[in-house]
Amino acid sequence: MQVTPARGAGGSHTAVHAWLLLLPALVLLVAFTHWPTAATFWDSFHSSPKGARAAVWVGLDNYRAMTDDPVFWKALRNNLWFAGATIPLSIGLALAMALWVNERIAGRAFLRMAYFTPTVLPMIAVANIWLFFYTPQYGLLEQITGALGLPSHNWLGDQSTALAAVTLVAVWKEAGFFMIFYLAALQSLNPSLREAAAIEGASRWTFFRRVQWPLLMPTTLFVLVNAVINGFRMVDHIFVLTRGGPDNASTLLLYHLYEVGFKFWDTAYAAALTVVLVAVLASTALFQFFVLDKRVHYK
């Protein structure tokens, strides 16, 4: 007969000690994540308080207004296009840069610094730099196109190019940050793998496709999660470059949420927009961790 040992005082003290160590993090998590999320969800079913008039229960009225809001659908389409472009471009560019600066090339340290520099710059500063590039007639991009004999173009003032212009800024900003993770992962690989591939006569492409890429999948999953989050929360440069214009051509969900909540002071509708944004990010994260994670090999 197997006898289960009684839990002594030492085990109780250990559990209490563990919970006390976790308590500061739990308080911060509840106070700044779970409680605001629950409060926002509750506020989305109420009207916006106006002066002395308190908020009242309106049920799904805010969500019905959302379905009838053309700006919301425009912002949603823009955000999906923005995320669909920035995620693969920034990850692909980061991987290419990491593979390059991981090789023994001249000026490797300078290249690493140059690629990582946009990451440490504030997004507002980055937006102002690119605002100079995009300025019609005087900007750097206009000088280059003018030297090639191409006509002048207002990149940020044209509905057909405004969103692509701000997307390029986001990719330039993000790629260096993701490169650091790929570079760290590449440097942690066993050098004997490259030597064995060289002995077998494998080309660089075959070595990357059959050896490096599968071993980089955990890093790719981590980078992908961050890229998706950034695709829906990176909005700082919109304030400087376009402010959502022209005619909402570059309006993203978070910028639309800001305008509704802090420009028009419709806090209840802004809460409903927040719930939708959180739901999109949560469902995407669950898909990544429960579906894509099964395809990742950690050994």
Side-chain angles (χ1 to χ4, degrees):
M1 182 176 64
Q2 184 178 2
V3 179
T4 302
R7 185 175 182 181
S12 300
H13 288 310
T14 301
V16 171
H17 187 228
W19 280 108
L20 288 176
L21 291 175
L22 290 173
L23 185 60
L26 288 175
V27 170
L28 291 176
L29 190 63
V30 171
F32 294 100
T33 302
H34 297 321
W35 171 250
T37 303
T40 300
F41 181 74
W42 178 254
D43 290 340
S44 68
F45 296 101
H46 291 75
S47 63
S48 298
K50 302 291 185 181
R53 188 183 65 185
V56 297
W57 178 268
V58 295
L60 297 176
D61 285 357
N62 290 316
Y63 295 95
R64 294 191 187 97
M66 187 187 307
T67 59
D68 296 332
D69 184 5
V71 179
F72 165 74
W73 293 110
K74 180 72 173 179
L76 180 60
R77 288 193 297 269
N78 290 342
N79 217 143
L80 292 176
W81 193 98
F82 177 81
T86 56
I87 292 171
L89 288 177
S90 59
I91 294 178
L93 184 59
L95 180 58
M97 293 190 300
L99 290 170
W100 189 18
V101 298
N102 190 50
E103 300 292 334
R104 297 181 180 274
I105 57 176
R108 182 172 60 177
F110 174 77
L111 282 176
R112 291 177 179 177
M113 181 188 68
Y115 289 154
F116 187 69
T117 297
T119 301
V120 300
L121 295 176
M123 194 59 182
I124 300 300
V126 169
N128 279 283
I129 293 173
W130 280 87
L131 185 63
F132 165 72
F133 292 164
Y134 288 136
T135 302
Q137 299 180 354
Y138 303 102
L140 181 61
L141 189 58
E142 287 292 290
Q143 298 296 325
I144 295 175
T145 55
L148 296 176
L150 300 175
S152 178
H153 183 75
N154 188 354
W155 299 95
L156 298 176
D158 189 343
Q159 295 187 33
S160 61
T161 57
L163 187 57
V166 299
T167 301
L168 180 61
V169 177
V171 172
W172 184 78
K173 169 72 172 175
E174 281 191 307
F177 177 67
F178 296 150
M179 179 203 70
I180 295 299
F181 297 103
Y182 275 121
L183 183 60
L186 288 171
Q187 293 179 345
S188 66
L189 299 182
N190 194 335
S192 61
L193 295 174
R194 183 182 292 272
E195 298 173 1
I199 293 174
E200 293 293 332
S203 63
R204 286 190 175 184
W205 169 247
T206 302
F207 176 66
F208 167 75
R209 184 168 58 91
R210 295 295 182 88
V211 180
Q212 287 180 313
W213 178 243
L215 294 176
L216 290 175
M217 286 306 295
T219 304
T220 301
L221 178 61
F222 172 79
V223 169
L224 179 62
V225 172
N226 284 272
V228 171
I229 294 173
N230 290 341
F232 286 89
R233 74 169 182 84
M234 186 175 290
V235 74
D236 311 37
H237 57 311
I238 300 294
F239 288 91
V240 177
L241 294 174
T242 64
R243 293 191 176 272
D247 194 22
N248 297 310
S250 60
T251 297
L252 304 181
L253 276 177
L254 194 58
Y255 185 79
H256 181 49
L257 191 156
Y258 158 78
E259 283 194 317
V260 170
F262 296 96
K263 188 176 180 179
F264 307 124
W265 292 106
D266 192 352
T267 55
Y269 186 38
L273 290 170
T274 303
V275 171
V276 172
L277 184 58
V278 171
V280 170
L281 292 178
S283 59
T284 305
L286 291 175
F287 173 79
Q288 290 171 330
F289 283 112
F290 290 101
V291 178
L292 298 183
D293 188 60
K294 295 181 179 179
R295 303 176 179 270
V296 175
H297 302 281
Y298 291 94
K299 293 184 180 181

